[in-house]
Structure formats: C-alpha cells, structure tokens
Short mmCIF file of all heavy atoms in Angstrom, two decimals:
data_model
loop_
_atom_site.label_atom_id
_atom_site.label_comp_id
_atom_site.label_asym_id
_atom_site.label_seq_id
_atom_site.Cartn_x
_atom_site.Cartn_y
_atom_site.Cartn_z
N SER A 1 0.83 -1.21 0.00
CA SER A 1 0.00 0.00 0.00
C SER A 1 0.87 1.26 0.00
O SER A 1 0.43 2.32 -0.47
CB SER A 1 -0.93 0.00 1.22
OG SER A 1 -0.18 -0.09 2.42
N ALA A 2 2.09 1.13 0.49
CA ALA A 2 3.01 2.27 0.52
C ALA A 2 3.79 2.42 -0.78
O ALA A 2 4.56 3.39 -0.94
CB ALA A 2 3.99 2.12 1.69
N GLY A 3 3.63 1.47 -1.68
CA GLY A 3 4.30 1.55 -2.96
C GLY A 3 5.62 0.81 -3.05
O GLY A 3 6.29 0.86 -4.09
N SER A 4 5.98 0.10 -2.00
CA SER A 4 7.20 -0.72 -2.07
C SER A 4 6.96 -1.92 -2.98
O SER A 4 5.86 -2.48 -2.98
CB SER A 4 7.60 -1.19 -0.68
OG SER A 4 7.90 -0.10 0.15
N THR A 5 7.99 -2.31 -3.71
CA THR A 5 7.84 -3.38 -4.69
C THR A 5 8.86 -4.49 -4.47
O THR A 5 9.98 -4.24 -3.98
CB THR A 5 7.98 -2.85 -6.12
OG1 THR A 5 9.26 -2.21 -6.26
CG2 THR A 5 6.88 -1.85 -6.45
N VAL A 6 8.46 -5.69 -4.83
CA VAL A 6 9.32 -6.86 -4.79
C VAL A 6 9.10 -7.64 -6.07
O VAL A 6 7.95 -7.78 -6.53
CB VAL A 6 9.01 -7.76 -3.57
CG1 VAL A 6 9.89 -9.00 -3.58
CG2 VAL A 6 9.19 -6.99 -2.27
N TYR A 7 10.19 -8.16 -6.65
CA TYR A 7 10.09 -8.89 -7.92
C TYR A 7 10.79 -10.24 -7.80
O TYR A 7 11.78 -10.39 -7.08
CB TYR A 7 10.76 -8.10 -9.05
CG TYR A 7 10.09 -6.79 -9.34
CD1 TYR A 7 10.54 -5.62 -8.77
CD2 TYR A 7 8.99 -6.72 -10.20
CE1 TYR A 7 9.93 -4.39 -9.02
CE2 TYR A 7 8.37 -5.52 -10.47
CZ TYR A 7 8.84 -4.36 -9.88
OH TYR A 7 8.23 -3.16 -10.14
N ALA A 8 10.28 -11.20 -8.55
CA ALA A 8 11.00 -12.45 -8.71
C ALA A 8 12.29 -12.18 -9.47
O ALA A 8 12.34 -11.29 -10.33
CB ALA A 8 10.14 -13.45 -9.48
N ASP A 9 13.33 -12.93 -9.15
CA ASP A 9 14.62 -12.72 -9.81
C ASP A 9 14.51 -12.83 -11.33
O ASP A 9 15.20 -12.13 -12.07
CB ASP A 9 15.65 -13.74 -9.29
CG ASP A 9 16.10 -13.43 -7.88
OD1 ASP A 9 15.89 -12.30 -7.41
OD2 ASP A 9 16.68 -14.33 -7.24
N SER A 10 13.62 -13.71 -11.78
CA SER A 10 13.50 -13.97 -13.22
C SER A 10 12.94 -12.79 -14.01
O SER A 10 13.07 -12.76 -15.23
CB SER A 10 12.64 -15.20 -13.45
OG SER A 10 11.35 -15.03 -12.89
N VAL A 11 12.33 -11.83 -13.33
CA VAL A 11 11.71 -10.71 -14.05
C VAL A 11 12.31 -9.36 -13.67
O VAL A 11 11.93 -8.33 -14.24
CB VAL A 11 10.18 -10.67 -13.83
CG1 VAL A 11 9.56 -12.02 -14.19
CG2 VAL A 11 9.82 -10.26 -12.42
N LYS A 12 13.23 -9.35 -12.72
CA LYS A 12 13.84 -8.09 -12.30
C LYS A 12 14.47 -7.36 -13.48
O LYS A 12 15.16 -7.96 -14.29
CB LYS A 12 14.90 -8.35 -11.23
CG LYS A 12 14.35 -8.57 -9.85
CD LYS A 12 15.47 -8.79 -8.84
CE LYS A 12 14.91 -9.05 -7.45
NZ LYS A 12 15.99 -9.36 -6.47
N GLY A 13 14.20 -6.08 -13.55
CA GLY A 13 14.75 -5.27 -14.63
C GLY A 13 13.93 -5.29 -15.91
O GLY A 13 14.19 -4.51 -16.82
N ARG A 14 12.96 -6.20 -15.97
CA ARG A 14 12.11 -6.30 -17.17
C ARG A 14 10.65 -5.95 -16.89
O ARG A 14 9.97 -5.40 -17.74
CB ARG A 14 12.19 -7.71 -17.75
CG ARG A 14 13.58 -8.14 -18.16
CD ARG A 14 13.55 -9.48 -18.91
NE ARG A 14 13.05 -10.57 -18.08
CZ ARG A 14 11.99 -11.31 -18.41
NH1 ARG A 14 11.32 -11.09 -19.53
NH2 ARG A 14 11.60 -12.30 -17.62
N PHE A 15 10.18 -6.32 -15.71
CA PHE A 15 8.79 -6.09 -15.34
C PHE A 15 8.70 -4.97 -14.31
O PHE A 15 9.59 -4.82 -13.46
CB PHE A 15 8.17 -7.34 -14.73
CG PHE A 15 7.95 -8.49 -15.68
CD1 PHE A 15 8.46 -8.49 -16.96
CD2 PHE A 15 7.19 -9.59 -15.28
CE1 PHE A 15 8.25 -9.55 -17.83
CE2 PHE A 15 6.96 -10.65 -16.12
CZ PHE A 15 7.51 -10.63 -17.40
N THR A 16 7.61 -4.22 -14.37
CA THR A 16 7.36 -3.16 -13.39
C THR A 16 5.91 -3.23 -12.93
O THR A 16 4.99 -3.19 -13.76
CB THR A 16 7.63 -1.77 -13.98
OG1 THR A 16 8.98 -1.70 -14.46
CG2 THR A 16 7.42 -0.69 -12.93
N ILE A 17 5.72 -3.32 -11.63
CA ILE A 17 4.38 -3.31 -11.06
C ILE A 17 4.08 -1.90 -10.56
O ILE A 17 4.97 -1.22 -10.02
CB ILE A 17 4.23 -4.35 -9.92
CG1 ILE A 17 2.77 -4.46 -9.46
CG2 ILE A 17 5.16 -4.04 -8.76
CD1 ILE A 17 2.52 -5.62 -8.50
N SER A 18 2.85 -1.46 -10.77
CA SER A 18 2.45 -0.14 -10.29
C SER A 18 0.97 -0.20 -9.91
O SER A 18 0.27 -1.17 -10.23
CB SER A 18 2.71 0.93 -11.36
OG SER A 18 1.97 0.66 -12.53
N ARG A 19 0.51 0.86 -9.27
CA ARG A 19 -0.88 0.89 -8.86
C ARG A 19 -1.44 2.29 -8.97
O ARG A 19 -0.71 3.28 -8.86
CB ARG A 19 -1.01 0.37 -7.42
CG ARG A 19 -0.27 1.20 -6.39
CD ARG A 19 -0.22 0.49 -5.03
NE ARG A 19 -1.56 0.34 -4.46
CZ ARG A 19 -1.87 -0.60 -3.57
NH1 ARG A 19 -0.96 -1.46 -3.16
NH2 ARG A 19 -3.10 -0.65 -3.08
N ASP A 20 -2.75 2.35 -9.18
CA ASP A 20 -3.48 3.61 -9.20
C ASP A 20 -4.63 3.44 -8.21
O ASP A 20 -5.64 2.82 -8.54
CB ASP A 20 -3.98 3.91 -10.61
CG ASP A 20 -4.65 5.28 -10.71
OD1 ASP A 20 -5.20 5.77 -9.70
OD2 ASP A 20 -4.65 5.85 -11.81
N ASP A 21 -4.46 3.98 -7.02
CA ASP A 21 -5.46 3.76 -5.98
C ASP A 21 -6.79 4.43 -6.32
O ASP A 21 -7.86 3.94 -5.93
CB ASP A 21 -4.94 4.28 -4.64
CG ASP A 21 -3.85 3.39 -4.06
OD1 ASP A 21 -3.62 2.29 -4.60
OD2 ASP A 21 -3.21 3.80 -3.07
N ALA A 22 -6.75 5.53 -7.03
CA ALA A 22 -7.99 6.21 -7.41
C ALA A 22 -8.82 5.35 -8.34
O ALA A 22 -10.05 5.37 -8.30
CB ALA A 22 -7.67 7.56 -8.06
N LYS A 23 -8.15 4.58 -9.20
CA LYS A 23 -8.84 3.71 -10.14
C LYS A 23 -8.98 2.29 -9.61
O LYS A 23 -9.55 1.43 -10.30
CB LYS A 23 -8.10 3.69 -11.48
CG LYS A 23 -8.10 5.03 -12.21
CD LYS A 23 -7.38 4.91 -13.55
CE LYS A 23 -7.43 6.24 -14.29
NZ LYS A 23 -6.73 6.17 -15.60
N LYS A 24 -8.42 2.02 -8.43
CA LYS A 24 -8.44 0.66 -7.87
C LYS A 24 -7.90 -0.34 -8.88
O LYS A 24 -8.49 -1.41 -9.12
CB LYS A 24 -9.84 0.27 -7.41
CG LYS A 24 -10.37 1.11 -6.26
CD LYS A 24 -11.69 0.56 -5.73
CE LYS A 24 -12.17 1.35 -4.53
NZ LYS A 24 -13.44 0.81 -3.97
N THR A 25 -6.78 0.00 -9.46
CA THR A 25 -6.20 -0.81 -10.51
C THR A 25 -4.71 -1.01 -10.25
O THR A 25 -4.02 -0.08 -9.84
CB THR A 25 -6.41 -0.16 -11.89
OG1 THR A 25 -7.82 -0.01 -12.12
CG2 THR A 25 -5.81 -1.01 -13.00
N VAL A 26 -4.25 -2.22 -10.50
CA VAL A 26 -2.83 -2.52 -10.43
C VAL A 26 -2.37 -2.97 -11.82
O VAL A 26 -3.14 -3.61 -12.56
CB VAL A 26 -2.53 -3.59 -9.36
CG1 VAL A 26 -3.21 -4.91 -9.65
CG2 VAL A 26 -1.03 -3.80 -9.18
N TYR A 27 -1.15 -2.60 -12.18
CA TYR A 27 -0.63 -2.86 -13.51
C TYR A 27 0.65 -3.70 -13.44
O TYR A 27 1.35 -3.70 -12.44
CB TYR A 27 -0.31 -1.54 -14.21
CG TYR A 27 -1.45 -0.58 -14.29
CD1 TYR A 27 -1.58 0.45 -13.36
CD2 TYR A 27 -2.41 -0.68 -15.30
CE1 TYR A 27 -2.64 1.35 -13.42
CE2 TYR A 27 -3.47 0.21 -15.37
CZ TYR A 27 -3.57 1.22 -14.44
OH TYR A 27 -4.63 2.10 -14.51
#
C-alpha cells in the first residue's frame, strides 16, 4: 500500500508493477 515493490529474480529489470489507488487498478 506504501508503494514498495518486490520482484521475482527472473523478471527483475524487465517487469514493473504499479498501482493507481484512485482507479483501484494494479498494472
């Protein structure tokens, strides 16, 4: 909820997770 992110080693540097709380959507 604070925006901290964790990635699997296999996707680090290639994938990015983000969120828009106003839209209740995660990308």
Side-chain angles (χ1 to χ4, degrees):
S1 58
S4 298
T5 57
V6 178
Y7 296 95
D9 287 344
S10 58
V11 306
K12 280 181 182 176
R14 300 188 297 122
F15 290 10
T16 303
I17 188 171
S18 61
R19 62 191 295 156
D20 185 332
D21 288 350
K23 295 182 178 180
K24 295 188 176 181
T25 301
V26 62
Y27 304 97

